[in-house]
Structures are given as structure tokens and as C-alpha cells.
Amino acid sequence: QAEWAEEGGDQAAAADMYLKAKKWDKAIMLIGKNEWKDKLVEVMRTLEKTDVKALQACAAHFARWGSLQHAKETFNKLGDHAALMALHIESEKWDDAFAMLRQHPQYGDKVYLPYARWLAENDRF
């Protein structure tokens, strides 16, 4: 039924059916394609930590949309510190990156060079 609804153009109904059937990948793909941000937040908060692939897909959509707080929430739920650090660096949230670095010093090499580059590019060096 979900596939039929999707082919018929009722993507919202298809996404809801996929969610009810726990076909996370298809539901998240449709939600992301249509940029239904509130719906994706709801899905992400419903998912279990063990739904790693689905949560990673949610985080990718949030990051693509610039919804950094939701991407951060998703990475925290996953316990994916490396991805969270990468998000801070890519979004140039240096205060967040350095706060996280105090708890996870193993990421120092990932932070210092991009930060130095940012300082030089922004005449703050």
C-alpha cells in the first residue's frame, strides 16, 4: 500500500505507512526528500539507539538542511562522537568543538588544523 501511495503521488501517506511498518529507510528517504523537518524530528526521537542506519540517515538530512541542533541530538543519541565533532568543525562551531575536545582529547588533530585555517582565512590569526 505504501508503494502504491508513493507512486500515486501521496508521499505523506506513503511515509506514514512506511513508518507504521517500521520500514525506516524508505520513510526517512521520503521525509528527507520532501524536507518535512518536524516529521523527521519526530521519527528520530522515536527510533532506538540500535537503529543506527536510520539515525545516521536522519542526521545526514538534518546536517544538509542546516538543522544543526537536531543533527547534534541525533549524533548524541548514537554516541557518535567523531561525527559530532565533524559537525562542529564543518559548521565552524568552534566553542562547541573545543568544549567537546576537553572531554575527548583524542580528536585534537581533527580540530586544531581546521581551526587554524579558519583563523587565517578570517584574519584572526
Side-chain angles (χ1 to χ4, degrees):
Q1 286 182 340
E3 289 173 2
W4 179 80
E6 185 178 355
E7 289 171 12
D10 191 352
Q11 297 191 351
D16 286 337
M17 287 182 224
Y18 285 134
L19 289 172
K20 285 184 177 107
K22 298 189 181 212
K23 293 193 174 196
W24 308 124
D25 56 336
K26 291 186 177 196
I28 292 167
M29 181 203 61
L30 274 178
I31 293 167
K33 185 171 106 177
N34 289 287
E35 297 191 11
W36 296 325
K37 295 173 187 165
D38 292 338
K39 185 73 171 174
L40 192 60
V41 170
E42 184 181 315
V43 170
M44 178 269 294
R45 290 179 176 159
T46 302
L47 293 169
E48 299 292 326
K49 289 183 198 181
T50 55
D51 297 315
V52 175
K53 188 175 175 186
L55 286 167
Q56 288 172 333
C58 290
H61 287 300
F62 291 137
R64 181 172 57 86
W65 296 334
S67 186
L68 302 179
Q69 190 59 38
H70 293 117
K72 183 178 175 179
E73 182 180 344
T74 308
F75 289 135
N76 279 327
K77 186 172 189 172
L78 282 165
D80 191 344
H81 302 296
L84 183 56
M85 182 61 85
L87 178 72
H88 292 320
I89 293 166
E90 289 167 19
S91 58
E92 299 177 343
K93 300 289 185 190
W94 302 114
D95 289 341
D96 293 338
F98 283 105
M100 188 175 169
L101 190 58
R102 284 191 284 281
Q103 295 173 341
H104 302 281
Q106 68 270 27
Y107 297 115
D109 60 331
K110 305 246 188 255
V111 176
Y112 292 120
L113 183 59
Y115 182 59
R117 187 176 299 121
W118 180 84
L119 287 172
E121 289 171 355
N122 290 280
D123 294 324
R124 296 184 180 205
F125 196 63

